[in-house]
Amino acid sequence: MQPFDLAASLGVVAPEIGLTIMAIVVLFLDLQLPDSQRPNLALVTFIGLIATAALYLILWFPVPISTAVAGLGVQEGTYWGGMLRHDALAQIFKVIVLVAGALTALIASGSTGVGRKGEFYLIIIVSSLGGVLLAGAADLIMIFLALETVTIPLYVLAAFRRDDRRSSESGMKYFLFGSFASAILLYGFSLLYGFTGQTSIAAIAEYLGSEPFSANSVPVLIAMVLVVVGFGFKIGAVPFHFWTPDVYEGAPTPVTAFLSVASKAASFAVIARFFVVVFPEGLVLNGQEIASFWVQLASVLAVVSMTLGNAVALAQKNIKRLLAYSSIAQAGYTLIGVAALSAGGQNSIAAIGFYMFMYTFTNLLAFAVVIVFSEATGSENIADLAGLSRRNPWLALTMTIALLSLAGVPPAAGFFGKFFLFQAAVDAGLVWLAIVGVLNAIVALYYYLIVVKIMYVDHGQFEEQVIPVAQPYVWTLAITTLAVLLLGTFAAQPIFDWASQGAAVLFVRGL
Amino acid sequence: MVPLWMYLIVAAGMFSIGVYGVLSRRNAVAILMSVELMLNAIIINLVAFWRYVTPTNMSGQAFAAFVFVVAAAEAAIGLAIVLAIYRNRRSTVVEDVNLLKG
């Protein structure tokens, strides 16, 4: 264990400290500002979260031990008594969560029942704080606490519109399923702690690899299955997806957008770290290779999530439900990367990182359009999107870009996202999984294109009524569209390389 | 002294009762209580493991304490949400809460 260095340790949690300060500032501003000024809190939150991400990238970025330069950056390693890892993998997921929180604040500003309440922004910030912690968590206690810091605020957010029956119903369903899943996950953690006597994931791995433990595989497998079930709930993978469509439909739309990207990205960060570190390739207990067991588990989850998500999405009438089932399928695609983790190594983690990065922008773009549309028309039905291209051509165009990116069509970012994932699967020898993924992408293309067709070809009743787009939404749409297009073209390689550094941390340099 | 496996059996039994309660109960408050039962089983597990496996290292106790804290936070949020549901519909039976069909 390294000696405690306060300056470096504080640098590691700089984003967390920044978010805590912001939460307090927003709370005070909420008390002080007159009602008419409240929507400005969205701007404060947006700028604060972006500034936190920027400062983190400029001042406290992780520096690999071998290339330490005096001055900026904090040396990569484990801090706070083994609780937190500071490395490139944590860095990319922290940035994803912060960006998702910032853009959510912006798209919430004009949303009914949400945008004028200061506490909404406060809770978004607290939930982002949990996500940021989760990205770096390296200890069972920290993983559990961070996971709960992400989800407990999300329960509140889902039920945020107390007077709206659908919102409170969505909150209740999310809470019941979420707390049940947390308890199952925690039982798995308690068993892991009991078998090894350690809570730090690196120490657990060390103990599992040691001689006295090598005869026991069944208890470890039980613990692993419990943990997979718990994480499966959090990312909404089939067969643990029951809550997803209802919660997505009932929650206020900005909340849906946030929970579909931030909590999912942070969960994937911890899944990748947890499984690669605790159950690495080559770990053999009682003659059974443990890694191959979770590869099979992840492959099965990936296949059923993709297939069921896409198949059910075909029949949806409500755009938020469609996006919910689409997000189940997207979780399935990302699980391909998880299945490729042990054999595909570095590329698969980089693929997961890139996928989550581009998925954040894509999904926020789609939900931003849904918010603008439903605030103007009061409808969330896909059929009511008819003639959107004539009511507001820009809105229809941005929605098309978002849907094409979700489907994985070239100029948009989704193409490279899927390409990297399938490539990782092929590298790992899981060719069949890549083929299932491609077939699913074709099915998915169908229902995404149906929506595009309705927007451009079909004629609606209110075609002469132009849909106005308020200022914050113009910014959000511009930022996310630009990001989606750039990630699909010039920025794909640099971001993938950045994600690869995170992968290198886990595989090459070790913990 | 009572052997470790007895504690583990009690904890596993409590956890299973909790799972059964979550899956079979129809009242949201009863489901919440079942989840609390599951969390209490986990706390027994953690403390028993701490006492028998690593009595010198306090991380098991710390883990148990954090589980208490989170369980309390969860119960507070959960009851608040159930209360909001009750004000809207005069019922906390989960099957009556069915505007959104999955």
Side-chain angles (χ1 to χ4, degrees):
Chain A
M1 187 171 282
Q2 58 211 85
F4 187 71
D5 174 359
L6 184 66
S9 298
L10 282 179
V12 170
V13 291
E16 287 85 345
I17 294 172
L19 288 175
T20 314
I21 294 170
M22 271 195 54
I24 296 166
V25 167
V26 167
L27 190 63
F28 270 96
L29 283 178
D30 180 37
L31 289 174
Q32 297 298 327
L33 286 179
D35 199 43
S36 58
Q37 298 282 310
R38 291 276 167 74
N40 289 340
L41 283 174
L43 213 58
V44 174
T45 312
F46 174 75
I47 294 171
L49 285 173
I50 292 290
T52 310
L55 282 178
Y56 174 62
L57 284 178
I58 297 167
L59 292 180
W60 293 290
F61 59 90
V63 184
I65 296 157
S66 50
T67 60
V69 186
L72 297 177
V74 176
Q75 202 172 72
E76 178 180 288
T78 312
Y79 290 87
W80 296 105
M83 288 286 165
L84 288 173
R85 279 284 301 172
H86 188 57
D87 55 30
L89 180 70
Q91 183 190 28
I92 183 165
F93 282 100
K94 281 182 187 193
V95 171
I96 292 176
V97 172
L98 289 171
V99 167
L103 290 172
T104 308
L106 215 49
I107 61 177
S109 60
S111 185
T112 321
V114 170
R116 289 184 166 274
K117 298 227 167 103
E119 63 267 30
F120 178 84
Y121 304 105
L122 171 74
I123 304 173
I124 285 277
I125 295 171
V126 174
S127 189
S128 309
L129 168 64
V132 166
L133 273 178
L134 192 56
D139 188 287
L140 296 184
I141 301 176
M142 196 69 237
I143 292 177
F144 169 65
L145 271 182
L147 205 59
E148 293 300 314
T149 317
V150 184
T151 24
I152 291 179
L154 285 177
Y155 304 147
V156 183
L157 288 177
F160 198 80
R161 294 179 64 184
R162 274 176 307 177
D163 45 343
D164 178 10
R165 285 173 159 219
R166 300 199 312 159
S167 174
S168 51
E169 174 175 344
S170 131
M172 189 180 83
K173 285 184 173 167
Y174 193 25
F175 168 73
L176 293 178
F177 279 115
S179 54
F180 184 50
S182 303
I184 292 177
L185 177 78
L186 199 54
Y187 195 66
F189 279 0
S190 79
L191 292 181
L192 266 182
Y193 163 68
F195 299 150
T196 59
Q198 305 287 345
T199 54
S200 150
I201 60 173
I204 290 175
E206 203 174 301
Y207 189 84
L208 288 181
S210 68
E211 198 56 41
F213 206 79
S214 57
N216 293 308
S217 62
V218 176
V220 176
L221 291 185
I222 292 174
M224 187 205 292
V225 169
L226 289 170
V227 171
V228 167
V229 171
F231 281 136
F233 266 106
K234 299 287 173 199
I235 59 172
V238 179
F240 320 111
H241 66 290
F242 309 106
W243 58 275
T244 322
D246 289 356
V247 171
Y248 276 37
E249 185 186 342
T253 316
V255 178
T256 310
F258 184 72
L259 83 93
S260 74
V261 293
S263 81
K264 193 176 273 185
S267 301
F268 270 112
V270 76
I271 287 173
R273 191 186 295 276
F274 184 82
F275 282 103
V276 168
V277 174
V278 177
F279 307 113
E281 196 181 17
L283 175 66
V284 178
L285 298 181
N286 202 12
Q288 265 181 302
E289 206 187 332
I290 299 295
S292 74
F293 187 78
W294 66 260
V295 167
Q296 285 165 11
L297 215 56
S299 318
V300 170
L301 286 183
V303 170
V304 289
S305 301
M306 286 187 294
T307 316
L308 197 123
N310 283 327
V312 182
L314 290 172
Q316 296 309 315
K317 307 258 186 299
N318 178 303
I319 186 77
K320 277 163 82 178
R321 277 191 101 79
L322 179 104
L323 288 171
Y325 280 105
S326 133
S327 94
I328 294 173
Q330 306 286 341
Y333 295 127
T334 320
L335 278 169
I336 294 182
V338 177
L341 272 179
S342 86
Q346 207 169 332
N347 273 345
S348 58
I349 288 207
I352 296 174
F354 183 85
Y355 203 84
M356 279 295 130
F357 201 79
M358 78 88 199
Y359 180 68
T360 301
F361 288 107
T362 308
N363 234 21
L364 285 172
L365 174 57
F367 277 112
V369 176
V370 172
I371 292 174
V372 173
F373 180 77
S374 63
E375 286 298 326
T377 62
S379 164
E380 288 166 1
N381 286 330
I382 296 173
D384 291 338
L385 285 168
L388 184 65
S389 64
R390 289 172 290 278
R391 297 175 76 175
N392 189 329
W394 289 105
L395 218 50
L397 182 68
T398 47
M399 187 64 168
T400 307
I401 292 173
L403 292 172
L404 289 182
S405 178
L406 285 172
V409 174
F415 170 72
F416 278 114
K418 287 204 174 55
F419 175 76
F420 291 139
L421 280 175
F422 296 156
Q423 193 189 31
V426 172
D427 286 350
L430 297 163
V431 180
W432 65 275
L433 201 53
I435 293 174
V436 175
V438 171
L439 290 178
N440 264 291
I442 297 168
V443 176
L445 186 60
Y446 173 76
Y447 63 78
Y448 292 128
L449 285 183
I450 293 269
V451 178
V452 175
K453 180 213 139 209
I454 288 173
M455 288 191 301
Y456 278 90
V457 180
D458 287 7
H459 288 273
Q461 283 176 294
F462 311 103
E463 294 216 350
E464 63 286 354
Q465 293 176 14
V466 174
I467 294 180
V469 182
Q471 200 63 42
Y473 290 93
V474 175
W475 294 349
T476 322
L477 293 175
I479 295 170
T480 45
T481 311
L482 201 66
V484 168
L485 289 178
L486 277 179
L487 284 172
T489 48
F490 307 111
Q493 195 61 44
I495 297 289
F496 186 76
D497 290 343
W498 183 31
S500 296
Q501 289 175 11
V505 172
L506 277 191
F507 283 102
V508 182
R509 293 198 283 275
L511 273 179
Chain B
M1 196 155 110
V2 186
L4 173 62
W5 62 266
M6 283 193 177
Y7 287 100
L8 298 187
I9 294 289
V10 170
M14 266 173 79
F15 189 80
S16 308
I17 295 170
V19 172
Y20 174 76
V22 170
L23 297 177
S24 66
R25 285 292 167 158
R26 296 165 60 216
N27 190 309
V29 179
I31 298 179
L32 181 60
M33 285 164 67
S34 305
V35 171
E36 294 296 316
L37 199 60
M38 291 164 74
L39 291 175
N40 284 332
I42 292 158
I43 292 170
I44 293 183
N45 242 358
L46 287 172
V47 175
F49 276 133
W50 164 75
R51 181 70 185 78
Y52 285 85
V53 181
T54 55
T56 50
N57 184 344
M58 296 307 282
S59 59
Q61 288 240 0
F63 205 157
F66 279 119
V67 176
F68 274 128
V69 173
V70 170
E74 245 176 21
I77 296 291
L79 287 174
I81 292 175
V82 171
L83 206 61
I85 289 271
Y86 184 75
R87 288 211 174 119
N88 281 339
R89 318 174 189 244
R90 301 274 141 209
S91 163
T92 56
V93 176
V94 175
E95 282 153 24
D96 295 347
V97 183
N98 55 4
L99 275 178
L100 309 162
K101 290 254 167 63

PDB file of all heavy atoms in Angstrom, chain B residues 56-79:
ATOM      1  N   THR B  56      -9.773  -9.638  12.551  1.00  0.00           N
ATOM      2  CA  THR B  56      -8.862  -8.524  12.795  1.00  0.00           C
ATOM      3  C   THR B  56      -9.059  -7.388  11.802  1.00  0.00           C
ATOM      4  O   THR B  56      -8.676  -6.263  12.073  1.00  0.00           O
ATOM      5  CB  THR B  56      -7.404  -9.003  12.692  1.00  0.00           C
ATOM      6  OG1 THR B  56      -7.270  -9.726  11.468  1.00  0.00           O
ATOM      7  CG2 THR B  56      -7.034  -9.899  13.845  1.00  0.00           C
ATOM      8  N   ASN B  57      -9.652  -7.698  10.668  1.00  0.00           N
ATOM      9  CA  ASN B  57      -9.839  -6.685   9.639  1.00  0.00           C
ATOM     10  C   ASN B  57     -11.273  -6.169   9.716  1.00  0.00           C
ATOM     11  O   ASN B  57     -12.224  -6.946   9.623  1.00  0.00           O
ATOM     12  CB  ASN B  57      -9.568  -7.332   8.271  1.00  0.00           C
ATOM     13  CG  ASN B  57      -9.646  -6.348   7.142  1.00  0.00           C
ATOM     14  OD1 ASN B  57     -10.180  -5.262   7.302  1.00  0.00           O
ATOM     15  ND2 ASN B  57      -9.121  -6.730   5.997  1.00  0.00           N
ATOM     16  N   MET B  58     -11.430  -4.849   9.892  1.00  0.00           N
ATOM     17  CA  MET B  58     -12.756  -4.320  10.170  1.00  0.00           C
ATOM     18  C   MET B  58     -13.631  -4.115   8.935  1.00  0.00           C
ATOM     19  O   MET B  58     -14.735  -3.601   9.041  1.00  0.00           O
ATOM     20  CB  MET B  58     -12.642  -2.985  10.912  1.00  0.00           C
ATOM     21  CG  MET B  58     -12.001  -3.088  12.270  1.00  0.00           C
ATOM     22  SD  MET B  58     -12.815  -4.331  13.291  1.00  0.00           S
ATOM     23  CE  MET B  58     -14.245  -3.414  13.792  1.00  0.00           C
ATOM     24  N   SER B  59     -13.148  -4.503   7.754  1.00  0.00           N
ATOM     25  CA  SER B  59     -13.908  -4.097   6.558  1.00  0.00           C
ATOM     26  C   SER B  59     -15.290  -4.744   6.514  1.00  0.00           C
ATOM     27  O   SER B  59     -16.226  -4.151   5.997  1.00  0.00           O
ATOM     28  CB  SER B  59     -13.106  -4.423   5.302  1.00  0.00           C
ATOM     29  OG  SER B  59     -12.836  -5.791   5.240  1.00  0.00           O
ATOM     30  N   GLY B  60     -15.432  -5.950   7.102  1.00  0.00           N
ATOM     31  CA  GLY B  60     -16.749  -6.576   7.108  1.00  0.00           C
ATOM     32  C   GLY B  60     -17.750  -5.785   7.921  1.00  0.00           C
ATOM     33  O   GLY B  60     -18.887  -5.588   7.516  1.00  0.00           O
ATOM     34  N   GLN B  61     -17.291  -5.287   9.085  1.00  0.00           N
ATOM     35  CA  GLN B  61     -18.172  -4.464   9.921  1.00  0.00           C
ATOM     36  C   GLN B  61     -18.534  -3.175   9.212  1.00  0.00           C
ATOM     37  O   GLN B  61     -19.689  -2.727   9.261  1.00  0.00           O
ATOM     38  CB  GLN B  61     -17.450  -4.131  11.228  1.00  0.00           C
ATOM     39  CG  GLN B  61     -17.327  -5.287  12.145  1.00  0.00           C
ATOM     40  CD  GLN B  61     -18.006  -5.004  13.470  1.00  0.00           C
ATOM     41  OE1 GLN B  61     -18.548  -3.940  13.653  1.00  0.00           O
ATOM     42  NE2 GLN B  61     -17.978  -5.955  14.372  1.00  0.00           N
ATOM     43  N   ALA B  62     -17.532  -2.585   8.546  1.00  0.00           N
ATOM     44  CA  ALA B  62     -17.804  -1.336   7.831  1.00  0.00           C
ATOM     45  C   ALA B  62     -18.829  -1.583   6.732  1.00  0.00           C
ATOM     46  O   ALA B  62     -19.777  -0.800   6.553  1.00  0.00           O
ATOM     47  CB  ALA B  62     -16.508  -0.794   7.228  1.00  0.00           C
ATOM     48  N   PHE B  63     -18.669  -2.699   6.034  1.00  0.00           N
ATOM     49  CA  PHE B  63     -19.607  -3.061   4.972  1.00  0.00           C
ATOM     50  C   PHE B  63     -21.023  -3.154   5.552  1.00  0.00           C
ATOM     51  O   PHE B  63     -21.984  -2.570   5.033  1.00  0.00           O
ATOM     52  CB  PHE B  63     -19.179  -4.404   4.366  1.00  0.00           C
ATOM     53  CG  PHE B  63     -19.629  -4.642   2.960  1.00  0.00           C
ATOM     54  CD1 PHE B  63     -18.945  -5.547   2.149  1.00  0.00           C
ATOM     55  CD2 PHE B  63     -20.726  -3.979   2.436  1.00  0.00           C
ATOM     56  CE1 PHE B  63     -19.348  -5.776   0.845  1.00  0.00           C
ATOM     57  CE2 PHE B  63     -21.132  -4.209   1.137  1.00  0.00           C
ATOM     58  CZ  PHE B  63     -20.453  -5.112   0.342  1.00  0.00           C
ATOM     59  N   ALA B  64     -21.147  -3.871   6.692  1.00  0.00           N
ATOM     60  CA  ALA B  64     -22.462  -4.038   7.307  1.00  0.00           C
ATOM     61  C   ALA B  64     -23.064  -2.680   7.670  1.00  0.00           C
ATOM     62  O   ALA B  64     -24.256  -2.438   7.448  1.00  0.00           O
ATOM     63  CB  ALA B  64     -22.343  -4.926   8.533  1.00  0.00           C
ATOM     64  N   ALA B  65     -22.219  -1.780   8.207  1.00  0.00           N
ATOM     65  CA  ALA B  65     -22.730  -0.466   8.598  1.00  0.00           C
ATOM     66  C   ALA B  65     -23.255   0.293   7.387  1.00  0.00           C
ATOM     67  O   ALA B  65     -24.309   0.931   7.432  1.00  0.00           O
ATOM     68  CB  ALA B  65     -21.621   0.328   9.288  1.00  0.00           C
ATOM     69  N   PHE B  66     -22.521   0.189   6.254  1.00  0.00           N
ATOM     70  CA  PHE B  66     -22.974   0.882   5.048  1.00  0.00           C
ATOM     71  C   PHE B  66     -24.279   0.293   4.530  1.00  0.00           C
ATOM     72  O   PHE B  66     -25.129   1.015   4.006  1.00  0.00           O
ATOM     73  CB  PHE B  66     -21.901   0.846   3.968  1.00  0.00           C
ATOM     74  CG  PHE B  66     -20.844   1.888   4.163  1.00  0.00           C
ATOM     75  CD1 PHE B  66     -19.532   1.548   4.349  1.00  0.00           C
ATOM     76  CD2 PHE B  66     -21.187   3.225   4.159  1.00  0.00           C
ATOM     77  CE1 PHE B  66     -18.567   2.505   4.544  1.00  0.00           C
ATOM     78  CE2 PHE B  66     -20.234   4.194   4.348  1.00  0.00           C
ATOM     79  CZ  PHE B  66     -18.914   3.833   4.542  1.00  0.00           C
ATOM     80  N   VAL B  67     -24.428  -1.035   4.687  1.00  0.00           N
ATOM     81  CA  VAL B  67     -25.690  -1.640   4.246  1.00  0.00           C
ATOM     82  C   VAL B  67     -26.854  -1.085   5.072  1.00  0.00           C
ATOM     83  O   VAL B  67     -27.919  -0.778   4.533  1.00  0.00           O
ATOM     84  CB  VAL B  67     -25.627  -3.182   4.332  1.00  0.00           C
ATOM     85  CG1 VAL B  67     -26.967  -3.786   3.958  1.00  0.00           C
ATOM     86  CG2 VAL B  67     -24.561  -3.719   3.410  1.00  0.00           C
ATOM     87  N   PHE B  68     -26.625  -0.905   6.405  1.00  0.00           N
ATOM     88  CA  PHE B  68     -27.661  -0.276   7.239  1.00  0.00           C
ATOM     89  C   PHE B  68     -28.072   1.072   6.680  1.00  0.00           C
ATOM     90  O   PHE B  68     -29.259   1.375   6.524  1.00  0.00           O
ATOM     91  CB  PHE B  68     -27.116  -0.013   8.649  1.00  0.00           C
ATOM     92  CG  PHE B  68     -27.242  -1.167   9.577  1.00  0.00           C
ATOM     93  CD1 PHE B  68     -26.148  -1.628  10.277  1.00  0.00           C
ATOM     94  CD2 PHE B  68     -28.468  -1.780   9.774  1.00  0.00           C
ATOM     95  CE1 PHE B  68     -26.254  -2.691  11.144  1.00  0.00           C
ATOM     96  CE2 PHE B  68     -28.578  -2.834  10.639  1.00  0.00           C
ATOM     97  CZ  PHE B  68     -27.467  -3.301  11.329  1.00  0.00           C
ATOM     98  N   VAL B  69     -27.047   1.893   6.393  1.00  0.00           N
ATOM     99  CA  VAL B  69     -27.300   3.258   5.949  1.00  0.00           C
ATOM    100  C   VAL B  69     -28.119   3.255   4.666  1.00  0.00           C
ATOM    101  O   VAL B  69     -29.137   3.944   4.535  1.00  0.00           O
ATOM    102  CB  VAL B  69     -25.972   4.006   5.730  1.00  0.00           C
ATOM    103  CG1 VAL B  69     -26.215   5.357   5.118  1.00  0.00           C
ATOM    104  CG2 VAL B  69     -25.217   4.124   7.033  1.00  0.00           C
ATOM    105  N   VAL B  70     -27.674   2.427   3.702  1.00  0.00           N
ATOM    106  CA  VAL B  70     -28.368   2.416   2.415  1.00  0.00           C
ATOM    107  C   VAL B  70     -29.774   1.858   2.569  1.00  0.00           C
ATOM    108  O   VAL B  70     -30.717   2.357   1.952  1.00  0.00           O
ATOM    109  CB  VAL B  70     -27.553   1.605   1.389  1.00  0.00           C
ATOM    110  CG1 VAL B  70     -28.351   1.373   0.137  1.00  0.00           C
ATOM    111  CG2 VAL B  70     -26.279   2.334   1.055  1.00  0.00           C
ATOM    112  N   ALA B  71     -29.937   0.837   3.446  1.00  0.00           N
ATOM    113  CA  ALA B  71     -31.274   0.280   3.648  1.00  0.00           C
ATOM    114  C   ALA B  71     -32.207   1.351   4.185  1.00  0.00           C
ATOM    115  O   ALA B  71     -33.374   1.454   3.766  1.00  0.00           O
ATOM    116  CB  ALA B  71     -31.203  -0.899   4.608  1.00  0.00           C
ATOM    117  N   ALA B  72     -31.695   2.184   5.112  1.00  0.00           N
ATOM    118  CA  ALA B  72     -32.532   3.248   5.665  1.00  0.00           C
ATOM    119  C   ALA B  72     -32.923   4.238   4.579  1.00  0.00           C
ATOM    120  O   ALA B  72     -34.094   4.641   4.466  1.00  0.00           O
ATOM    121  CB  ALA B  72     -31.787   3.947   6.790  1.00  0.00           C
ATOM    122  N   ALA B  73     -31.938   4.622   3.736  1.00  0.00           N
ATOM    123  CA  ALA B  73     -32.226   5.580   2.670  1.00  0.00           C
ATOM    124  C   ALA B  73     -33.260   5.007   1.715  1.00  0.00           C
ATOM    125  O   ALA B  73     -34.208   5.688   1.302  1.00  0.00           O
ATOM    126  CB  ALA B  73     -30.943   5.922   1.922  1.00  0.00           C
ATOM    127  N   GLU B  74     -33.095   3.724   1.398  1.00  0.00           N
ATOM    128  CA  GLU B  74     -34.022   3.085   0.463  1.00  0.00           C
ATOM    129  C   GLU B  74     -35.429   3.044   1.028  1.00  0.00           C
ATOM    130  O   GLU B  74     -36.401   3.322   0.332  1.00  0.00           O
ATOM    131  CB  GLU B  74     -33.537   1.668   0.156  1.00  0.00           C
ATOM    132  CG  GLU B  74     -33.148   1.504  -1.286  1.00  0.00           C
ATOM    133  CD  GLU B  74     -32.584   0.135  -1.571  1.00  0.00           C
ATOM    134  OE1 GLU B  74     -32.835  -0.818  -0.803  1.00  0.00           O
ATOM    135  OE2 GLU B  74     -31.881   0.016  -2.567  1.00  0.00           O
ATOM    136  N   ALA B  75     -35.529   2.714   2.343  1.00  0.00           N
ATOM    137  CA  ALA B  75     -36.853   2.644   2.954  1.00  0.00           C
ATOM    138  C   ALA B  75     -37.517   4.018   2.926  1.00  0.00           C
ATOM    139  O   ALA B  75     -38.721   4.129   2.638  1.00  0.00           O
ATOM    140  CB  ALA B  75     -36.731   2.129   4.377  1.00  0.00           C
ATOM    141  N   ALA B  76     -36.726   5.070   3.193  1.00  0.00           N
ATOM    142  CA  ALA B  76     -37.299   6.417   3.206  1.00  0.00           C
ATOM    143  C   ALA B  76     -37.848   6.781   1.839  1.00  0.00           C
ATOM    144  O   ALA B  76     -39.002   7.234   1.700  1.00  0.00           O
ATOM    145  CB  ALA B  76     -36.236   7.420   3.643  1.00  0.00           C
ATOM    146  N   ILE B  77     -37.037   6.556   0.805  1.00  0.00           N
ATOM    147  CA  ILE B  77     -37.466   6.881  -0.550  1.00  0.00           C
ATOM    148  C   ILE B  77     -38.673   6.019  -0.943  1.00  0.00           C
ATOM    149  O   ILE B  77     -39.662   6.501  -1.501  1.00  0.00           O
ATOM    150  CB  ILE B  77     -36.316   6.647  -1.548  1.00  0.00           C
ATOM    151  CG1 ILE B  77     -35.165   7.584  -1.257  1.00  0.00           C
ATOM    152  CG2 ILE B  77     -36.797   6.812  -2.969  1.00  0.00           C
ATOM    153  CD1 ILE B  77     -35.450   9.011  -1.540  1.00  0.00           C
ATOM    154  N   GLY B  78     -38.586   4.735  -0.606  1.00  0.00           N
ATOM    155  CA  GLY B  78     -39.647   3.809  -1.007  1.00  0.00           C
ATOM    156  C   GLY B  78     -40.970   4.189  -0.388  1.00  0.00           C
ATOM    157  O   GLY B  78     -42.003   4.241  -1.072  1.00  0.00           O
ATOM    158  N   LEU B  79     -40.962   4.506   0.921  1.00  0.00           N
ATOM    159  CA  LEU B  79     -42.224   4.866   1.567  1.00  0.00           C
ATOM    160  C   LEU B  79     -42.765   6.171   0.984  1.00  0.00           C
ATOM    161  O   LEU B  79     -43.983   6.328   0.824  1.00  0.00           O
ATOM    162  CB  LEU B  79     -42.025   4.980   3.077  1.00  0.00           C
ATOM    163  CG  LEU B  79     -41.855   3.618   3.759  1.00  0.00           C
ATOM    164  CD1 LEU B  79     -41.528   3.784   5.216  1.00  0.00           C
ATOM    165  CD2 LEU B  79     -43.122   2.786   3.605  1.00  0.00           C
TER     166      LEU B  79
END
